[in-house]
Amino acid sequence: LHPNDAPRLHDLDEALREIETLAAHDRVRGVGETGMDFFRTGDEGRAAQEESFRAHIAIAKRYGKALVIHDRDAHAEVLRILDDEGAPDTVVLHCFSGDAAFAAECVRRGYLLSYAGTVTFASAGALREAAALTPIDQILVETDAPYLTPTPHRGRPNASYLIPLTVRALATSTGADLDELCAAISATGDRVFGPW
């Protein structure tokens, strides 16, 4: 249940019960994306976002699933709530958008940072600094398709065939050997979400 949708629901509890039912299935590999979004949702919706986020954390812990977090302009709140609730064993910061300081806090806690095409943007120096201090065994990569298309294809729909552009940018930012980074990302994906 996306955090921007939580305040819009007539019955949040009913939606959370459905998520819990689904999370119990072996085929389900993660819970989310959930979290906090202060960019699209104002003060009036934050209580519902937080209630939903806390419930998702509990569900992920109960069923041993990865927690996939959406965080937009809410870094401190996301960490506060995870610290309050006690994070599940596996936490993925979906489409990581933080700076080096936020990345360092996430890395210290053992969270995984999933980078999208934004890491290739000329304006994303802070994001590349964050990637530079992320150990390669805590990196994942995603498209967030159809959005966040990597350079030089910005403005077009994103798709999985463009992932190599993001991975190459991460290799440059981290200083990792490209083959080593690819192997680490693949192993982390298997560890977090299981084999396909």
Side-chain angles (χ1 to χ4, degrees):
L1 177 59
H2 194 282
N4 290 326
D5 293 330
R8 298 182 186 133
L9 291 177
H10 173 70
D11 190 343
L12 179 58
D13 290 336
E14 179 182 343
L16 292 168
R17 283 191 296 275
E18 179 67 18
I19 289 167
E20 176 135 20
T21 298
L22 294 170
H25 293 277
D26 288 340
R27 188 172 179 182
V28 172
R29 305 299 176 95
V31 174
E33 75 191 71
T34 182
M36 302 293 289
D37 187 319
F38 292 174
F39 181 77
R40 295 204 191 283
T41 301
D43 292 341
E44 72 285 350
R46 291 183 183 167
Q49 282 189 356
E50 185 168 336
E51 178 185 348
S52 177
F53 186 26
R54 288 179 186 275
H56 281 79
I57 292 168
I59 292 167
K61 287 167 43 174
R62 238 184 324 278
Y63 295 99
K65 308 288 181 172
L67 180 70
V68 181
I69 296 177
H70 172 98
D71 164 34
R72 189 151 186 202
D73 296 344
H75 307 322
E77 288 301 298
V78 165
L79 291 179
R80 178 186 63 79
I81 293 165
L82 285 167
D83 289 346
D84 285 354
E85 294 296 320
D89 290 339
T90 305
V91 173
V92 177
L93 275 292
H94 150 71
C95 196
F96 186 79
S97 62
D99 59 11
F102 182 55
E105 284 300 314
C106 293
V107 166
R108 184 176 65 76
R109 289 169 166 84
Y111 303 160
L112 303 166
L113 309 185
S114 185
Y115 291 94
T118 45
V119 77
T120 70
F121 297 178
S123 61
L127 190 56
R128 285 186 291 279
E129 289 173 11
L133 61 81
T134 307
I136 64 171
D137 64 346
Q138 286 181 257
I139 291 177
L140 288 170
V141 178
E142 63 184 273
T143 60
D144 200 30
Y147 308 107
L148 306 179
T149 307
T151 302
H153 301 285
R154 282 185 78 177
R156 296 184 208 160
N158 202 356
S160 58
Y161 75 93
L162 296 171
I163 285 281
L165 297 170
T166 302
V167 175
R168 286 185 188 105
L170 285 168
T172 299
S173 294
T174 61
D177 173 78
L178 184 59
D179 289 340
E180 182 184 356
L181 179 61
C182 289
I185 291 168
S186 184
T188 300
D190 283 350
R191 179 171 42 89
V192 172
F193 296 113
W196 295 100

